[in-house]
Amino acid sequence: MKLSAAIIPAVATAALLTACGGLSDREKDMVGNYYIPAVSDTRPLIELGGDRGAVIRAIRPGELSYCVSGKWKLNGDTLVIETDPSSITIEEGDPALVGTVAPRVAYPVRSFNETTLTIDRQGITYDYHRRTE
C-alpha cells in the first residue's frame, strides 16, 4: 500500500507537467525549420523548437533580414507565436526599416505533413517546406 500511495502523487505530478508545458503529438510532429525557397534557401523563415522556442524571420532579399524569438503553441488549428520584440536581431540591412514587431501572431494551419506546413497569413496561403537539418 505504501508503494501505491507514493506512486499516485508522482504520476499526477508528471501528468500536470505534461499538460502544462509538454508538446502535443501534433506539435511534436511540427517541430523543425521551415523555408520558402523563393525567399531564402539558407535561412528558415519559421523555426519551431521542441522546447516551445520559436524564431520568426523577416527577409526582404537585398534590403533587410531580421529575426525575433518567442514561444509557440497550437491552439486548435492555429499556430500561435508569442514574440519578444526586445529579442530582435538584425541580420542584414538598416535597422530603421524594421518597423513594429507584433507581440503575438496567429496563423491558421490549412494543412501539415512531414514536409510542408501550409498556413494563412493575412488572407494569403503560404507553403513552408521543412528540412531535416
Side-chain angles (χ1 to χ4, degrees):
M1 285 286 211
K2 288 184 181 181
L3 183 58
S4 297
I7 291 174
I8 292 171
V11 170
T13 301
L16 280 172
L17 289 173
T18 301
C20 294
L23 299 175
S24 70
D25 288 342
R26 188 166 185 218
E27 288 171 325
K28 287 176 189 173
D29 290 342
M30 293 178 76
V31 169
N33 295 333
Y34 293 88
Y35 299 76
I36 296 180
V39 176
S40 176
D41 257 347
T42 58
R43 291 179 280 183
L45 296 179
I46 298 176
E47 300 175 32
L48 303 176
D51 61 353
R52 291 211 181 272
V55 174
I56 301 175
R57 188 167 277 107
I59 300 174
R60 280 185 252 157
E63 291 181 38
L64 177 65
S65 175
Y66 68 92
C67 64
V68 62
S69 300
K71 295 288 184 184
W72 74 281
K73 67 180 177 181
L74 277 180
N75 187 1
D77 287 332
T78 302
L79 173 62
V80 176
I81 302 174
E82 304 279 342
T83 65
D84 175 6
S86 70
S87 72
I88 292 175
T89 301
I90 306 298
E91 298 173 332
E92 173 186 351
D94 182 358
L97 297 174
V98 171
T100 303
V101 174
R104 180 183 184 275
V105 294
Y107 305 131
V109 176
R110 294 295 169 221
S111 65
F112 170 75
N113 61 44
E114 62 186 47
T115 60
T116 307
L117 170 64
T118 302
I119 61 174
D120 277 353
R121 292 183 55 188
Q122 301 172 332
I124 300 172
T125 301
Y126 292 92
D127 290 329
Y128 289 80
H129 301 279
R130 179 167 55 180
R131 288 194 199 149
T132 52
E133 316 266 343

